[in-house]
Amino acid sequence: MDKLKEEIGRLLAPLVSLEPKEIINLLEVPPETSYGDLAFPCFSFAKNRKLAPPVIAKELSEKLVGTKGLYWEKIVSRGPYLNFYIAPRAYGCEVLRQIWESGEKYGHTNLGNGGNVTIDYSSPNIAKPFGIGHIRSTVIGHSLYLLYKALGYNSIGINHLGDWGTQFGKLIVAFKHWGEESKLVADPVNYLYQLYVQFHQRVEEEPALDDQARAWFKKLEEGDDEAVAYWIRFRQLSLDNYALTYDLLGIEFEYIHGESHYNDLLDTVIKLAQDKGIAKESDGALIVDLESHGLPPVMLRKKDGATLYITRDLAAAIYRKETFNFVRSLYVVGAEQLLHFQQLFKVLELLGFKWAADCVHVPFGLIRFKEGRMSTRAGKIILLDEVLQRSIEIAREIIEEKNPDLADKERAAQEVGLGAVRFGDLSNDRIKNIEFDWDKALDFSGETAAYIQYAHARICSILRKAEAEYEKWDDKAASILIMEEEIALVKTLALLPEKIIASAENYRPSILARYLIDVAREFNRFYHNCPVLGSEGELKHGRLLLIRATRQVIANGLGLLGIAAPEEM
Ligand code: ARG
């Protein structure tokens, strides 16, 4: 819509004594297409002139009567609004041309100017469940990573692995007492979790275990060889295991900087807090009182000298600013840590860091898996990897049934299966709790990835059948589309760039996800009513250009959600 908006900006600027930019920002999409395609609200301008907005709107429309733009053809006033109707031929041609020329980069911009955005996401805890919350963080975080990249920011993905803390003392004790090497090697993530659970069961009867665990963690902190060797081993085995999942999802982190990465910086942070006079001793512990800010106190150091999760987060935030000089720093972490991040950002502010305002917690609700398709064995946790494998398996069954002759079924099953999990998560407003239902997530006609992917595959199939002579750009062919369904599809395709911006700026990939459902729906409506291969000459060419653009928009959009666009399925 950019060109249309610019045109309207230039047209109205002299009439309403506003800058074209201000006008563009005011433009709205009317609630119904019959009201036009873009509306200029006359409120602010009317105020200056002390006239009622509808009077102004009418006056403007009368002044402009008979004029025509390049991309619009009609102006009508409606209440306080001045409504513009697009000129379908010129507008359609312009939109299709932009998509044709930009290709894979359609929708991408250089808004970010290369500024660094750190994105802390996934961040599972070694030996505690790769909890379901981490599934969401992984999927949402990765999409934000891709979205910011598309907007010209330099995305820096950081996996803030939970690889430090008293649980390592517990694990060492558990493993030394009753651990089995073969089990550890076979399934490290689950086994470490089992050891952790068992530790908590046994400590009820044998409280001395707790003291041992504390002693071992202390040894670890002091760099004792044996303790460190255990820690390195547990950590590496877990990382190797996570790597399989990340590979499957096509995720690469710029940095896997776990909590332990910041150990050497903790003293400096504590000293800084003391020097600034915001930290005080309380019963031997060191705390920052946040009462006057309406928040509970933060503990930086316990009585026994141990530091905490938040101490490491303070060090990490400062390290990130110093290392990357980010323009924004995102933390994609469940809503249950709302308070933690409020406290973190407040303490940074009290330490005098203005950039605390650039730190953003991106919270999300819980995800539950509907019973049946995914039952967990007692004492086991749902691992992201298992969820993905299960989804691929179900997708395989569906594809086997729907398209038994497909050449590469395995690949399609993977693309559809992974897409279902990602989209099932991303298409919901992140802050809501979601119930993941396999049947719904893999419904080819529902609001799913498969529905969008199917539209993409269908277009690919049509394009494979089209003659080579239509594989080129043609102004006339691109200006021929005037059916209501064609225009509606063009208008939808034109929205991708602003949807990408809105998704990134609101940290809501769901905006893009919902939009792609609209694209697929508009495509289906068009395809149902307008024959493509069955039409002739320029019209056929124009429609092929339209579906080619649609394919591009779907592929680009799904790509930013981390979802593949299959050519066949
Ligand atoms: N490992 C943490 C957890 O699972 C999440 C870490 C999020 N990132 C951070 N910088 N605190 O709860």
Side-chain angles (χ1 to χ4, degrees):
M1 291 235 174
D2 287 2
K3 294 247 173 148
L4 175 63
K5 287 184 179 169
E6 282 165 22
E7 201 186 356
I8 296 176
R10 277 195 306 271
L11 174 79
L12 295 182
L15 301 175
V16 299
S17 46
L18 287 173
E19 290 296 316
K21 256 217 178 103
E22 296 172 283
I23 296 170
I24 291 174
N25 285 335
L26 286 172
L27 292 175
E28 295 173 16
V29 176
E32 272 184 48
T33 44
S34 63
Y35 297 174
D37 298 298
L38 274 180
F40 174 70
C42 298
F43 304 100
S44 56
F45 176 55
K47 223 194 246 151
N48 296 344
R49 303 227 354 234
K50 299 202 171 68
L51 284 171
V55 176
I56 294 281
K58 194 146 193 299
E59 199 183 284
L60 283 173
S61 74
E62 277 161 7
K63 265 197 199 141
L64 292 167
V65 86
T67 37
K68 245 188 207 179
L70 195 53
Y71 300 116
W72 56 272
E73 63 180 12
K74 193 169 82 169
I75 298 184
V76 176
S77 67
R78 191 173 190 284
Y81 292 95
L82 190 62
N83 294 340
F84 291 79
Y85 291 77
I86 59 154
R89 289 175 189 275
Y91 185 68
C93 180
E94 178 53 32
V95 171
L96 295 186
R97 186 214 309 278
Q98 255 186 46
I99 301 173
W100 176 274
E101 284 172 359
S102 317
E104 285 173 7
K105 292 272 179 266
Y106 177 61
H108 295 214
T109 59
N110 192 27
L111 211 66
N113 236 325
N116 285 338
V117 175
T118 56
I119 304 167
D120 176 321
Y121 73 105
S122 197
S123 312
N125 299 320
I126 289 177
K128 283 195 198 162
F130 191 124
I132 288 172
H134 299 112
I135 297 182
R136 298 209 69 188
S137 173
T138 305
V139 165
I140 298 169
H142 188 225
S143 179
L144 291 175
Y145 174 90
L146 298 168
L147 283 162
Y148 273 87
K149 220 174 189 163
L151 293 180
Y153 290 91
N154 181 37
S155 298
I156 300 173
I158 302 175
N159 193 337
H160 191 79
L161 206 64
D163 67 354
W164 201 254
T166 47
Q167 77 265 29
F168 284 92
K170 297 175 186 171
L171 282 177
I172 295 174
V173 169
F175 191 72
K176 278 176 90 73
H177 281 306
W178 63 84
E180 291 174 48
E181 178 64 24
S182 59
K183 287 192 180 164
L184 176 67
V185 177
D187 188 3
V189 175
N190 261 312
Y191 189 59
L192 287 173
Y193 177 55
Q194 273 173 34
L195 286 177
Y196 181 78
V197 171
Q198 285 166 0
F199 179 93
H200 283 274
Q201 287 162 351
R202 295 206 188 180
V203 84
E204 301 274 308
E205 284 136 42
E206 224 184 312
L209 287 175
D210 238 350
D211 301 328
Q212 291 177 25
R214 245 191 306 272
W216 270 105
F217 183 57
K218 199 161 171 45
K219 278 192 186 185
L220 181 60
E221 286 198 299
E222 288 161 357
D224 171 84
D225 286 348
E226 191 186 356
V228 171
Y230 274 117
W231 174 76
I232 289 181
R233 185 118 201 274
F234 294 158
R235 182 177 190 274
Q236 195 54 46
L237 284 168
S238 307
L239 270 178
D240 291 348
N241 195 281
Y242 298 147
L244 301 175
T245 310
Y246 293 137
D247 279 354
L248 185 63
L249 290 170
I251 293 179
E252 269 179 64
F253 295 94
E254 271 70 16
Y255 299 95
I256 299 190
H257 282 167
E259 292 185 40
S260 66
H261 184 77
Y262 306 99
N263 281 346
D264 293 344
L265 305 173
L266 302 176
D267 287 344
T268 319
V269 169
I270 288 177
K271 179 144 189 317
L272 185 65
Q274 285 168 325
D275 290 351
K276 288 269 171 190
I278 62 165
K280 63 169 192 211
E281 300 278 338
S282 161
D283 283 337
L286 191 68
I287 65 157
V288 180
D289 184 13
L290 296 176
E291 201 183 339
S292 58
H293 303 281
L295 293 168
V298 162
M299 193 184 284
L300 296 180
R301 200 179 56 209
K302 290 192 205 167
K303 207 154 79 181
D304 64 6
T307 54
L308 297 96
Y309 179 53
I310 196 158
T311 327
R312 289 186 281 279
D313 252 332
L314 282 165
I318 298 169
Y319 171 89
R320 286 173 195 173
K321 185 63 191 179
E322 285 176 354
T323 313
F324 307 115
N325 193 24
F326 55 71
V327 294
R328 226 176 284 184
S329 178
L330 311 185
Y331 295 82
V332 188
V333 187
E336 69 282 358
Q337 293 193 28
L338 224 56
L339 181 60
H340 169 77
F341 285 101
Q342 284 174 348
Q343 291 172 313
L344 174 65
F345 301 159
K346 185 51 80 182
V347 175
L348 288 170
E349 190 189 308
L350 295 177
L351 287 174
F353 296 121
K354 293 223 168 54
W355 49 263
D358 304 323
C359 296
V360 184
H361 176 208
V362 180
F364 49 80
L366 302 172
I367 183 172
R368 280 200 330 124
F369 287 85
K370 209 172 159 200
E371 285 304 308
R373 297 272 205 174
M374 185 112 207
S375 52
T376 41
R377 273 163 281 152
K380 277 204 64 167
I381 46 184
I382 297 187
L383 295 177
L384 174 53
D385 191 52
E386 288 170 327
V387 174
L388 298 175
Q389 298 302 346
R390 185 78 190 102
S391 189
I392 294 171
E393 204 175 297
I394 300 171
R396 193 181 291 130
E397 287 164 21
I398 298 177
I399 288 168
E400 191 67 58
E401 193 190 302
K402 278 195 192 284
N403 194 356
D405 302 326
L406 183 65
D408 196 348
K409 275 185 246 174
E410 204 37 52
R411 179 178 169 158
Q414 227 190 60
E415 294 180 337
V416 173
L418 297 178
V421 173
R422 285 192 130 133
F423 199 84
D425 188 324
L426 294 175
S427 58
N428 291 286
D429 188 357
R430 62 177 157 72
I431 208 66
K432 288 198 191 131
N433 293 339
I434 54 182
E435 172 160 87
F436 192 87
D437 176 336
W438 298 97
D439 296 315
K440 272 199 201 142
L442 282 155
D443 179 353
F444 279 40
S445 53
E447 299 188 341
T448 60
Y451 176 69
I452 302 164
Q453 289 174 317
Y454 192 67
H456 183 270
R458 194 166 199 182
I459 296 174
C460 291
S461 146
I462 304 169
L463 291 174
R464 277 194 298 272
K465 289 183 199 133
E467 295 83 352
E469 58 183 288
Y470 295 116
E471 267 176 48
K472 57 175 197 287
W473 177 255
D474 184 276
D475 274 334
K476 268 167 91 188
S479 311
I480 206 169
L481 307 170
I482 49 164
M483 297 271 293
E484 188 271 324
E485 293 88 347
E486 294 167 334
I487 299 171
L489 181 53
V490 163
K491 284 194 216 160
T492 310
L493 300 182
L495 297 175
L496 180 68
E498 54 198 78
K499 296 291 178 182
I500 293 177
I501 293 175
S503 300
E505 280 183 351
N506 297 290
Y507 317 108
R508 284 193 158 71
S510 57
I511 296 175
L512 179 58
R514 311 300 315 174
Y515 163 70
L516 291 175
I517 294 173
D518 290 345
V519 174
R521 196 178 284 135
E522 285 301 339
F523 163 73
N524 286 333
R525 195 161 73 82
F526 155 78
Y527 190 60
H528 189 76
N529 295 311
C530 308
V532 177
L533 294 176
S535 50
E536 307 251 333
E538 228 154 49
L539 182 60
K540 180 172 182 178
H541 195 168
R543 287 183 175 166
L544 283 166
L545 289 173
L546 176 60
I547 65 169
R548 205 181 277 281
T550 309
R551 185 186 56 88
Q552 192 73 62
V553 166
I554 293 179
N556 293 9
L558 284 180
L560 294 175
L561 300 178
I563 298 174
E567 300 202 352
E568 284 184 288
M569 63 187 264

